[in-house]
Each structure stands twice: as structure tokens, then as C-alpha cells.
Amino acid sequence: QVQLVESGGGLVQAGGSLRLSCAASGRTFSSGAMGWFRQAPGKEREFVAGISWIGGRTRYSDSVKGRFTISRDNAKNTVYLQMHGLKPEDTAVYYCAAGAAIAAVSTMYEYWGQGTQVTVSS
């Protein structure tokens, strides 16, 4: 019903920047919010940031607040994650998700992309 495709991942040095994109298609009107999650090897999937389609209300995890910015372009059905001051601990597969509302738990999102790898070197 909703398809999500992430892009923009890659390899960067510590302190660098990267911009991830999530292109949504299908019945996107049924989802009220978009979120970014990440999962590093051996770790649980964790919430990074979320944004509502209407109003642009945002929420960030403490670990990325001040460094990452989530935004959306409603006309393009695209959500972005602008990452600055990247640290090696940010290395993970980043996933885009769609849900009814912003939530910090993955179970609250119905649709998921397949992820894009972000690797931050020391």
C-alpha cells in the first residue's frame, strides 16, 4: 500500500555530513508521520527522528539531537535526514518508516524501506 525507498547512504569520515532521502509512493495519505530508525550490527533497531506530514512536528533521539535534522517535502512525498558531525557510533543501516503518528518505537510504524548503509570512519 505504501512503498518506501531510502537513498543517500555511504562512507564518510568522522565529523562529516550526509543527507539521506526516503521516497514514498502509494497510499501515502494514510500515514500521518515518517520516521528514521537505524540498526548497527549486534544492536537493536533504534529510533532516530520522526516528522508529521501535516505541521512538520519533529522528534529526535537524544543521541542525534542537534546534529541531525529531519525534514519533508510533501509535494514530492519525500523525507530527508540531514546528518552533520557524524561519529563512528552513527554507523548503521538507516531505515525509513511510515506510521499513523510520530513514535519512538518501531512497532508503531506499518511500512518500512529496505535501508541504506551509513558508515562513519574514525
Side-chain angles (χ1 to χ4, degrees):
Q1 194 168 78
V2 176
Q3 296 80 46
L4 305 173
V5 180
E6 304 97 333
S7 63
L11 174 64
V12 297
Q13 294 183 352
S17 300
L18 211 56
R19 181 172 179 253
L20 306 183
S21 298
C22 174
S25 61
R27 303 183 69 180
T28 56
F29 61 85
S30 64
S31 298
M34 302 288 288
W36 285 98
F37 288 76
R38 66 186 183 186
Q39 187 165 24
K43 296 184 178 180
E44 297 181 348
R45 187 169 299 187
E46 65 172 336
F47 173 78
V48 176
I51 188 168
S52 60
W53 283 112
I54 305 299
R57 176 168 44 89
T58 60
R59 180 178 178 181
Y60 298 91
S61 68
D62 291 339
S63 62
V64 307
K65 192 174 181 64
R67 298 188 298 123
F68 293 8
T69 301
I70 187 170
S71 61
R72 85 275 195 258
D73 185 332
N74 293 50
K76 292 182 169 62
N77 287 325
T78 301
V79 175
Y80 307 94
L81 185 66
Q82 300 163 346
M83 305 184 292
H84 298 287
L86 285 164
K87 306 174 181 179
E89 51 262 45
D90 293 319
T91 295
V93 176
Y94 283 70
Y95 298 91
C96 177
I102 300 174
V105 292
S106 61
T107 53
M108 295 299 293
Y109 295 84
E110 302 101 291
Y111 305 99
W112 294 82
Q114 291 192 290
T116 185
Q117 177 71 47
V118 172
T119 303
V120 184
S121 62
S122 306

